Amino acid sequence: MSFCSFLGGEVFQNHFEPGVYVCAKCGYELFSSRSKYAHSSPWPAFTETIHADSVTKRPEKNRPEALKVSCGKCGNGLGHEFLNDGPKRGQSRFIFSSSLKFVPKDREAPASQGH
């Protein structure tokens, strides 16, 4: 189940190169490619964030199984976290659309520069 309409052309759905996914608006580090996994939705799916403050979450109205997720630095709307719907029992699944940019591993900035 997803709450976003799919317009096609999702570039990160089957993208599994090493690197970091950052906010498309401000460049803040959000997810490592190590936390990305194959999923049936057309959007990229992740199990965890890079930093504790990578994202902020708030309840989705009338949908107790989902949280609205925004960039923890600039507030850009990113997508949803689906509770207890990850690849392992008890894990959540984060899904996002065009709100992400990918930075290949050889171009990653040190983690201390993300704060």
Side-chain angles (χ1 to χ4, degrees):
M1 169 187 264
S2 73
F3 305 131
C4 306
S5 60
F6 178 60
L7 301 176
E10 174 50 62
V11 296
F12 297 128
Q13 178 187 15
N14 297 311
H15 183 262
F16 290 95
E17 293 178 30
V20 172
Y21 293 84
V22 301
C23 174
K25 185 173 180 182
C26 74
Y28 192 51
E29 295 177 327
L30 303 172
F31 302 96
S32 166
S33 60
R34 291 184 302 271
S35 72
K36 188 175 185 299
Y37 67 99
H39 190 270
S40 61
S41 76
W43 299 276
F46 303 89
T47 56
E48 62 187 8
T49 59
I50 291 179
H51 309 290
D53 67 347
S54 288
V55 300
T56 58
K57 306 171 194 177
R58 68 181 188 279
E60 175 73 37
K61 292 181 182 179
N62 302 317
R63 299 189 192 268
E65 74 281 2
L67 300 172
K68 295 275 291 175
V69 179
S70 300
C71 174
K73 185 173 181 181
C74 74
N76 185 33
L78 299 172
H80 293 87
E81 176 180 358
F82 293 90
L83 306 173
N84 299 312
D85 188 32
K88 295 180 184 174
R89 186 180 180 102
Q91 272 187 327
S92 291
R93 170 176 54 108
F94 294 90
I95 64 164
F96 304 96
S97 57
S98 60
S99 301
L100 301 177
K101 284 186 185 177
F102 179 73
V103 179
K105 183 173 177 68
D106 61 347
R107 289 194 228 148
E108 287 179 41
S112 62
Q113 291 183 3
H115 294 279

